[in-house]
Amino acid sequence: MSIGERDRFKVEVQMKIKIDVSPIATFKWNEDNAQKLRELREKSGYSRRKLSEEVGVSTTYIHQLEAPHLFINKPGKPKEITVSTDILQKLCAALGGEVATLIWDIECLA
């Protein structure tokens, strides 16, 4: 069987994964997480302001999550950004995603 013939038989597998994050208080936040959040927000049609209102955090906090490199390791700023499980769940509920979408390199489907 040639490579072209094998490609015809490829099947996309979609799984719905439930992950209990309740025992975890906070997650370290990085640029990969930031990019995923920004993409989810834009895909959902939210502005930073609208998302911040929906989640109950400041617009500045959403900006920090989407661009952590602007805020960490600066004079008087923390060395890392962490996000509470509660905020992650609220972000995902607003954006129609799963917590796992933001913290691991997987795509969860509703």
Side-chain angles (χ1 to χ4, degrees), residues 27-36 64-66 68-69 72 81 83 102-103:
F27 291 91
K28 280 185 167 180
W29 197 255
N30 61 41
E31 289 295 328
D32 291 336
N33 304 124
Q35 180 180 348
K36 290 176 194 175
Q64 286 176 337
L65 294 179
E66 290 188 353
H69 63 279
I72 60 173
I81 292 178
V83 181
L102 290 174
I103 56 177

Side-chain angles (χ1 to χ4, degrees), residues 38-90:
R38 195 169 34 257
E39 288 170 0
L40 277 174
R41 179 182 60 77
E42 290 171 353
K43 182 179 172 183
S44 298
Y46 277 99
S47 66
R48 284 184 182 147
R49 174 174 284 154
K50 178 69 175 158
L51 181 59
S52 70
E53 291 169 358
E54 188 77 23
V55 174
V57 296
S58 69
T59 305
T60 301
Y61 186 66
I62 298 296
H63 187 227
Q64 286 176 337
L65 294 179
E66 290 188 353
H69 63 279
L70 298 176
F71 298 91
I72 60 173
N73 290 322
K74 305 290 184 200
K77 301 290 183 186
K79 293 190 184 293
E80 66 184 17
I81 292 178
T82 59
V83 181
S84 74
T85 303
D86 183 51
I87 296 298
L88 277 176
Q89 290 173 327
K90 288 178 181 179

